[in-house]
Amino acid sequence: MPLVKAGRIAADDFVRLSDDALLPADRAVLVSHTRLLGDPDLLRRGPPTGVIWPNDRKVAELAPHVGRLALIALVFPTFKDGRAYSQARILREQYGFDGELRATGNVLRDQFVFMLRAGFTAFEVTKEADAAAFAETTRRYSVFYQPTGDGRPTVREARQHRAAADPVPEGTLAAS
């Protein structure tokens, strides 16, 4: 499955493990929520650890581990199920997760910008054509109307920044 990160198609550095697979000593791993919650010592190993978190579980259960996770993959089981959007915002804005936040499952082109705005930084897509479209979209938009936790400026913030950087001298009219 192609992976899009930082606006480009990227290799996946994480090995996806089944619950009964042996842990490799020197590789980044991606484990299920069941395995992580059943063995929190996984997070004490040297290589990075990530978790696949289903959208029907509260991210509050994950909160104690957020600081030690390198990757959280949130699942979109169908395009109509948007609970992973809320999970992403909660992880970013309430729990301060600053690692890779990956969208997996039914990740569609027309929802990509919304996923970016919710705080996702990586996307597993099913087709190479989708991967190329996702990569292009990350460069297309730079300013938004609604504030979110992704750190991008809103239109209002961009205007305020521009006005502060280039104030109009007193006694002159500003073009609008």
Side-chain angles (χ1 to χ4, degrees):
M1 211 174 266
L3 180 67
V4 177
K5 286 172 64 171
R8 30 182 86 86
I9 300 169
D12 191 351
D13 296 331
F14 286 80
V15 176
R16 199 177 289 236
L17 295 181
S18 61
D19 287 346
D20 58 352
L22 291 176
L23 272 174
D26 59 347
R27 298 283 315 266
V29 296
L30 184 59
V31 299
S32 73
H33 71 286
T34 305
R35 186 163 186 179
L36 177 75
L37 296 176
D39 183 10
D41 287 337
L42 281 171
L43 297 172
R44 291 180 185 23
R45 58 193 292 276
T49 301
V51 64
I52 302 167
W53 197 257
N55 71 351
D56 61 353
R57 301 280 308 236
K58 297 213 179 282
V59 291
E61 295 176 74
L62 190 57
H65 311 293
V66 162
R68 293 183 307 243
L69 286 164
L71 161 66
I72 299 173
L74 298 177
V75 182
F76 287 88
T78 69
F79 76 94
K80 296 187 254 183
D81 191 336
R83 290 178 285 184
Y85 288 108
S86 300
Q87 289 175 318
R89 295 221 30 206
I90 291 167
L91 285 165
R92 292 286 191 216
E93 297 171 22
Q94 290 180 21
Y95 298 124
F97 180 66
D98 62 359
E100 179 179 321
L101 196 54
R102 184 181 294 186
T104 187
N106 198 351
V107 178
L108 303 177
R109 281 187 196 194
D110 59 346
Q111 296 173 339
F112 180 60
V113 173
F114 300 113
M115 291 177 184
L116 279 172
R117 296 294 289 151
F120 287 96
T121 56
F123 310 88
E124 287 181 0
V125 296
T126 55
K127 299 182 236 169
E128 288 291 331
D130 284 345
F134 275 46
E136 172 58 30
T137 302
T138 62
R139 296 184 290 275
R140 185 175 301 154
Y141 302 100
S142 60
V143 180
F144 298 90
Y145 288 105
Q146 300 85 6
T148 66
D150 69 356
R152 293 184 186 208
T154 63
V155 170
R156 182 179 184 177
E157 292 165 341
R159 278 189 178 160
Q160 289 171 343
H161 178 73
R162 217 174 19 249
D166 188 23
V168 177
E170 246 181 83
T172 61
L173 294 175
S176 51

PDB file of all heavy atoms in Angstrom, residues 75-89:
ATOM      1  N   VAL A  75      -7.797   4.476  12.127  1.00  0.00           N
ATOM      2  CA  VAL A  75      -8.475   3.692  11.100  1.00  0.00           C
ATOM      3  C   VAL A  75      -9.765   4.363  10.632  1.00  0.00           C
ATOM      4  O   VAL A  75     -10.598   4.762  11.445  1.00  0.00           O
ATOM      5  CB  VAL A  75      -8.781   2.275  11.635  1.00  0.00           C
ATOM      6  CG1 VAL A  75      -9.456   1.430  10.565  1.00  0.00           C
ATOM      7  CG2 VAL A  75      -7.502   1.610  12.117  1.00  0.00           C
ATOM      8  N   PHE A  76      -9.906   4.450   9.302  1.00  0.00           N
ATOM      9  CA  PHE A  76     -11.149   4.869   8.648  1.00  0.00           C
ATOM     10  C   PHE A  76     -11.746   3.616   8.002  1.00  0.00           C
ATOM     11  O   PHE A  76     -11.374   3.243   6.899  1.00  0.00           O
ATOM     12  CB  PHE A  76     -10.872   5.913   7.559  1.00  0.00           C
ATOM     13  CG  PHE A  76     -10.519   7.265   8.088  1.00  0.00           C
ATOM     14  CD1 PHE A  76      -9.197   7.582   8.376  1.00  0.00           C
ATOM     15  CD2 PHE A  76     -11.493   8.224   8.293  1.00  0.00           C
ATOM     16  CE1 PHE A  76      -8.858   8.833   8.859  1.00  0.00           C
ATOM     17  CE2 PHE A  76     -11.159   9.482   8.778  1.00  0.00           C
ATOM     18  CZ  PHE A  76      -9.842   9.785   9.060  1.00  0.00           C
ATOM     19  N   PRO A  77     -12.678   2.916   8.698  1.00  0.00           N
ATOM     20  CA  PRO A  77     -13.214   1.672   8.141  1.00  0.00           C
ATOM     21  C   PRO A  77     -14.075   1.899   6.894  1.00  0.00           C
ATOM     22  O   PRO A  77     -14.090   1.065   6.001  1.00  0.00           O
ATOM     23  CB  PRO A  77     -14.032   1.078   9.274  1.00  0.00           C
ATOM     24  CG  PRO A  77     -14.274   2.185  10.226  1.00  0.00           C
ATOM     25  CD  PRO A  77     -13.212   3.208  10.013  1.00  0.00           C
ATOM     26  N   THR A  78     -14.805   3.013   6.837  1.00  0.00           N
ATOM     27  CA  THR A  78     -15.584   3.390   5.653  1.00  0.00           C
ATOM     28  C   THR A  78     -15.480   4.897   5.490  1.00  0.00           C
ATOM     29  O   THR A  78     -15.154   5.618   6.440  1.00  0.00           O
ATOM     30  CB  THR A  78     -17.084   3.028   5.783  1.00  0.00           C
ATOM     31  OG1 THR A  78     -17.682   3.877   6.769  1.00  0.00           O
ATOM     32  CG2 THR A  78     -17.283   1.570   6.156  1.00  0.00           C
ATOM     33  N   PHE A  79     -15.789   5.389   4.302  1.00  0.00           N
ATOM     34  CA  PHE A  79     -15.696   6.824   4.069  1.00  0.00           C
ATOM     35  C   PHE A  79     -16.742   7.611   4.852  1.00  0.00           C
ATOM     36  O   PHE A  79     -16.581   8.795   5.102  1.00  0.00           O
ATOM     37  CB  PHE A  79     -15.797   7.151   2.573  1.00  0.00           C
ATOM     38  CG  PHE A  79     -17.180   7.060   2.007  1.00  0.00           C
ATOM     39  CD1 PHE A  79     -17.976   8.188   1.939  1.00  0.00           C
ATOM     40  CD2 PHE A  79     -17.679   5.857   1.541  1.00  0.00           C
ATOM     41  CE1 PHE A  79     -19.260   8.112   1.411  1.00  0.00           C
ATOM     42  CE2 PHE A  79     -18.943   5.773   1.012  1.00  0.00           C
ATOM     43  CZ  PHE A  79     -19.735   6.900   0.950  1.00  0.00           C
ATOM     44  N   LYS A  80     -17.804   6.949   5.292  1.00  0.00           N
ATOM     45  CA  LYS A  80     -18.862   7.622   6.047  1.00  0.00           C
ATOM     46  C   LYS A  80     -18.556   7.735   7.534  1.00  0.00           C
ATOM     47  O   LYS A  80     -19.253   8.427   8.251  1.00  0.00           O
ATOM     48  CB  LYS A  80     -20.187   6.876   5.888  1.00  0.00           C
ATOM     49  CG  LYS A  80     -20.732   6.859   4.498  1.00  0.00           C
ATOM     50  CD  LYS A  80     -22.114   6.260   4.501  1.00  0.00           C
ATOM     51  CE  LYS A  80     -22.075   4.893   3.922  1.00  0.00           C
ATOM     52  NZ  LYS A  80     -23.379   4.257   3.828  1.00  0.00           N
ATOM     53  N   ASP A  81     -17.529   7.048   7.995  1.00  0.00           N
ATOM     54  CA  ASP A  81     -17.223   7.001   9.423  1.00  0.00           C
ATOM     55  C   ASP A  81     -16.067   7.955   9.723  1.00  0.00           C
ATOM     56  O   ASP A  81     -14.916   7.657   9.425  1.00  0.00           O
ATOM     57  CB  ASP A  81     -16.863   5.570   9.814  1.00  0.00           C
ATOM     58  CG  ASP A  81     -16.782   5.371  11.307  1.00  0.00           C
ATOM     59  OD1 ASP A  81     -16.554   6.361  12.032  1.00  0.00           O
ATOM     60  OD2 ASP A  81     -16.937   4.227  11.760  1.00  0.00           O
ATOM     61  N   GLY A  82     -16.372   9.080  10.329  1.00  0.00           N
ATOM     62  CA  GLY A  82     -15.371  10.110  10.561  1.00  0.00           C
ATOM     63  C   GLY A  82     -14.825  10.193  11.975  1.00  0.00           C
ATOM     64  O   GLY A  82     -14.219  11.200  12.340  1.00  0.00           O
ATOM     65  N   ARG A  83     -15.014   9.165  12.772  1.00  0.00           N
ATOM     66  CA  ARG A  83     -14.548   9.233  14.160  1.00  0.00           C
ATOM     67  C   ARG A  83     -13.038   9.435  14.267  1.00  0.00           C
ATOM     68  O   ARG A  83     -12.555  10.045  15.223  1.00  0.00           O
ATOM     69  CB  ARG A  83     -14.981   7.981  14.925  1.00  0.00           C
ATOM     70  CG  ARG A  83     -16.488   7.940  15.169  1.00  0.00           C
ATOM     71  CD  ARG A  83     -16.899   6.683  15.874  1.00  0.00           C
ATOM     72  NE  ARG A  83     -16.866   5.561  14.933  1.00  0.00           N
ATOM     73  CZ  ARG A  83     -17.240   4.335  15.236  1.00  0.00           C
ATOM     74  NH1 ARG A  83     -17.647   4.043  16.460  1.00  0.00           N
ATOM     75  NH2 ARG A  83     -17.201   3.372  14.341  1.00  0.00           N
ATOM     76  N   ALA A  84     -12.274   8.956  13.298  1.00  0.00           N
ATOM     77  CA  ALA A  84     -10.817   9.124  13.344  1.00  0.00           C
ATOM     78  C   ALA A  84     -10.422  10.598  13.224  1.00  0.00           C
ATOM     79  O   ALA A  84      -9.361  10.991  13.712  1.00  0.00           O
ATOM     80  CB  ALA A  84     -10.144   8.292  12.262  1.00  0.00           C
ATOM     81  N   TYR A  85     -11.256  11.432  12.606  1.00  0.00           N
ATOM     82  CA  TYR A  85     -10.987  12.878  12.576  1.00  0.00           C
ATOM     83  C   TYR A  85     -10.961  13.434  14.004  1.00  0.00           C
ATOM     84  O   TYR A  85     -10.067  14.181  14.384  1.00  0.00           O
ATOM     85  CB  TYR A  85     -12.059  13.644  11.800  1.00  0.00           C
ATOM     86  CG  TYR A  85     -12.029  13.465  10.312  1.00  0.00           C
ATOM     87  CD1 TYR A  85     -12.999  12.714   9.673  1.00  0.00           C
ATOM     88  CD2 TYR A  85     -11.051  14.072   9.539  1.00  0.00           C
ATOM     89  CE1 TYR A  85     -12.998  12.559   8.304  1.00  0.00           C
ATOM     90  CE2 TYR A  85     -11.037  13.932   8.169  1.00  0.00           C
ATOM     91  CZ  TYR A  85     -12.016  13.171   7.549  1.00  0.00           C
ATOM     92  OH  TYR A  85     -12.009  13.028   6.194  1.00  0.00           O
ATOM     93  N   SER A  86     -11.971  13.075  14.770  1.00  0.00           N
ATOM     94  CA  SER A  86     -12.044  13.543  16.163  1.00  0.00           C
ATOM     95  C   SER A  86     -10.892  12.987  16.977  1.00  0.00           C
ATOM     96  O   SER A  86     -10.282  13.708  17.780  1.00  0.00           O
ATOM     97  CB  SER A  86     -13.373  13.118  16.793  1.00  0.00           C
ATOM     98  OG  SER A  86     -14.455  13.666  16.085  1.00  0.00           O
ATOM     99  N   GLN A  87     -10.568  11.725  16.780  1.00  0.00           N
ATOM    100  CA  GLN A  87      -9.445  11.130  17.501  1.00  0.00           C
ATOM    101  C   GLN A  87      -8.150  11.886  17.192  1.00  0.00           C
ATOM    102  O   GLN A  87      -7.356  12.157  18.095  1.00  0.00           O
ATOM    103  CB  GLN A  87      -9.279   9.659  17.115  1.00  0.00           C
ATOM    104  CG  GLN A  87     -10.356   8.754  17.646  1.00  0.00           C
ATOM    105  CD  GLN A  87     -10.191   7.336  17.124  1.00  0.00           C
ATOM    106  OE1 GLN A  87      -9.893   7.105  15.960  1.00  0.00           O
ATOM    107  NE2 GLN A  87     -10.384   6.370  18.016  1.00  0.00           N
ATOM    108  N   ALA A  88      -7.958  12.223  15.928  1.00  0.00           N
ATOM    109  CA  ALA A  88      -6.736  12.944  15.529  1.00  0.00           C
ATOM    110  C   ALA A  88      -6.643  14.297  16.228  1.00  0.00           C
ATOM    111  O   ALA A  88      -5.594  14.651  16.777  1.00  0.00           O
ATOM    112  CB  ALA A  88      -6.713  13.129  14.010  1.00  0.00           C
ATOM    113  N   ARG A  89      -7.718  15.046  16.213  1.00  0.00           N
ATOM    114  CA  ARG A  89      -7.706  16.360  16.865  1.00  0.00           C
ATOM    115  C   ARG A  89      -7.476  16.234  18.358  1.00  0.00           C
ATOM    116  O   ARG A  89      -6.739  17.026  18.945  1.00  0.00           O
ATOM    117  CB  ARG A  89      -9.003  17.106  16.576  1.00  0.00           C
ATOM    118  CG  ARG A  89      -9.108  17.421  15.094  1.00  0.00           C
ATOM    119  CD  ARG A  89      -9.617  18.715  14.665  1.00  0.00           C
ATOM    120  NE  ARG A  89      -9.441  19.865  15.471  1.00  0.00           N
ATOM    121  CZ  ARG A  89     -10.255  20.907  15.433  1.00  0.00           C
ATOM    122  NH1 ARG A  89     -11.307  20.887  14.653  1.00  0.00           N
ATOM    123  NH2 ARG A  89     -10.021  21.953  16.168  1.00  0.00           N
TER     124      ARG A  89
END
